[in-house]
Amino acid sequence: MNKTQRLVELLLTLNTRNKFTLKDLSERFGVSKRTVLRDINELSALGIPLYAELGVHGGYRILKERTLPPIHILEQEAVALFSASQSLKYYRALPMESDWRSALAKFYHILPEDIKERIDRLQQRVLFWVPAQSFESPYLSTLLEGALEQKVLHISYESEHSITEREIQLVGLYSMNGKWYCPAYDFLNNDYRLFRADRFTHVSDSPDQSRKRNHDKLLISDWFSKDQEREESQEKYDLRVRLTQRGVLLCRDDAWIGSGLTIFEDGTGYINRQIPLGYLTWAANYFAGLKADAIVEEPQELRTLILKNLRETIAIYDEGEQ
């Protein structure tokens, strides 16, 4: 076994053992203790986090932050990895952000110049745009750790109405339009709720982990089907909306609204679908903003909410004119 092969094998061995001695490694690789010590020093110089313990029961240990063994990557694979990383570029907050930036920087540093140039050109020509967000999500890494370890978390959460303290157990995290969302079991309401990561004002491990629920079989990808089930179980209303050409252009950009949209030959359109009770408040704000480009015909409950919103707005501006 040549030196390069031995160093790779040594690195693989170090990552699978908590403690080892020079004698152990000498016997394992069939070389002298001096050669093993020289190999260890060389790996340490490359950044492998090792430390020695002196004494009869001493030896070498590898720190928790282990270095993974080298792998062979094709040129196309390297370019693809950097292309994928572009999708994270405009997120204001990311879990483990420093780690993935550090990993990419190390990876980029060792690439041949021609591949670097190709990656640079790619980053100049391909962009995954995410709307810029002004708010912070300081507990994102803590939330991710809580989701991975399935811990019960004690939180303070700022909703539209107040700041409340409660305990939750996260299903996971997902991002959409630059925001991070946290589906979780809410022990305060004994039901699943959806939280926004930027609205947590405090997150810590709960001192009582005995309440932990078995979420092993409920994956983050399952959350959306579960959310669909909750939507289907709600009371529903028939939604009928007439749209101008401009209204069609605005409504077809919304995935939920667009699924019930019919466009006529003259460019106008009509929305014909069902709407769950829990969507009425959102729909009232949405269609009120479209003004005369969206005329809600039914349900009457939605028309009433829109009228209430408009009257409250008019009252505010009337007061300002007096």
Side-chain angles (χ1 to χ4, degrees):
M1 181 183 296
N2 62 37
K3 180 181 178 181
T4 301
Q5 290 175 318
R6 190 174 66 249
L7 287 175
V8 172
E9 287 292 327
L10 178 59
L11 182 55
L12 290 169
T13 301
L14 299 185
N15 273 282
T16 58
R17 299 181 64 175
N18 292 327
K19 186 177 180 180
F20 47 88
T21 65
L22 292 180
K23 181 181 178 182
D24 294 335
L25 297 178
S26 174
E27 294 175 353
R28 165 71 175 80
F29 293 102
V31 295
S32 67
K33 293 181 181 179
R34 179 176 295 181
T35 299
V36 172
L37 182 59
R38 189 165 53 245
D39 289 345
I40 287 177
N41 288 335
E42 188 164 340
L43 288 177
S44 182
L46 292 173
I48 309 303
L50 301 168
Y51 73 98
E53 293 181 337
L54 303 178
V56 178
H57 302 291
Y60 289 86
R61 289 182 183 273
I62 190 165
L63 297 177
K64 183 179 179 181
E65 294 81 7
R66 294 177 296 175
T67 300
L68 299 179
I71 57 175
H72 297 287
I73 294 182
L74 299 176
E75 174 183 345
Q76 301 94 313
E77 294 172 332
V79 174
L81 283 174
F82 277 89
S83 176
S85 73
Q86 283 286 86
S87 64
L88 305 176
K89 184 175 181 179
Y90 291 98
Y91 273 83
R92 186 174 179 86
L94 288 167
M96 301 181 292
E97 179 174 7
S98 61
D99 294 325
W100 73 260
R101 289 190 185 278
S102 173
L104 282 177
K106 292 178 182 178
F107 189 31
Y108 183 84
H109 179 71
I110 64 172
L111 291 175
E113 289 301 320
D114 60 323
I115 299 181
K116 287 182 181 179
E117 291 176 4
R118 182 170 177 81
I119 289 173
D120 292 342
R121 291 198 303 271
L122 176 73
Q123 293 179 336
Q124 293 168 358
R125 301 299 177 185
V126 178
L127 178 66
F128 297 86
W129 175 250
V130 175
Q133 305 293 343
S134 60
F135 40 74
E136 302 286 349
S137 299
Y139 297 102
L140 200 56
S141 294
T142 306
L143 292 168
L144 177 59
E145 181 66 19
L148 291 175
E149 300 299 327
Q150 283 297 280
K151 297 177 181 178
V152 178
L153 301 177
H154 181 85
I155 67 166
S156 295
Y157 188 76
E158 184 176 11
S159 67
E160 296 178 1
H161 307 291
S162 62
I163 295 180
T164 58
E165 292 193 12
R166 62 185 76 197
E167 292 193 334
I168 63 173
Q169 184 177 342
L170 268 67
V171 175
L173 288 83
Y174 71 87
S175 65
M176 184 171 65
N177 296 327
K179 301 184 183 74
W180 285 94
Y181 296 87
C182 309
Y185 187 84
D186 180 9
F187 291 96
L188 180 64
N189 294 291
N190 295 320
D191 197 3
Y192 290 94
R193 293 286 190 272
L194 184 62
F195 300 89
R196 271 202 13 204
D198 58 287
R199 293 185 177 178
F200 289 94
T201 59
H202 173 78
V203 179
S204 62
D205 292 353
S206 170
D208 180 13
Q209 294 293 320
S210 63
R211 311 172 70 183
K212 185 183 297 186
R213 295 170 60 86
N214 183 10
H215 280 169
D216 291 343
K217 295 182 179 179
L218 180 59
L219 307 179
I220 186 62
S221 56
D222 300 328
W223 166 259
F224 297 97
S225 59
K226 189 175 183 65
D227 194 43
Q228 182 68 29
E229 290 175 5
R230 284 196 301 274
E231 179 182 319
E232 291 175 355
S233 67
Q234 291 185 26
E235 181 182 358
K236 293 184 177 61
Y237 300 89
D238 290 329
L239 177 64
R240 308 284 186 264
V241 186
R242 286 188 287 111
L243 301 171
T244 64
Q245 291 183 4
R246 181 174 180 273
V248 168
L249 291 174
L250 295 172
C251 287
R252 73 180 183 184
D253 291 335
D254 184 277
W256 188 85
I257 291 291
S259 64
L261 175 62
T262 298
I263 303 175
F264 303 127
E265 290 185 1
D266 63 356
T268 62
Y270 198 80
I271 296 172
N272 183 0
R273 61 161 301 157
Q274 289 195 311
I275 181 171
L277 174 63
Y279 278 33
L280 288 182
T281 300
W282 168 83
N285 293 326
Y286 181 84
F287 289 118
L290 296 183
K291 302 176 183 177
D293 290 308
I295 305 301
V296 175
E297 297 179 342
E298 56 179 308
Q300 183 58 46
E301 290 81 358
L302 178 55
R303 290 172 58 91
T304 300
L305 280 175
I306 293 174
L307 187 58
K308 179 175 179 291
N309 287 352
L310 295 175
R311 283 173 174 168
E312 289 176 351
T313 302
I314 291 172
I316 292 172
Y317 282 96
D318 277 346
E319 290 177 4
E321 293 297 324
Q322 294 177 1

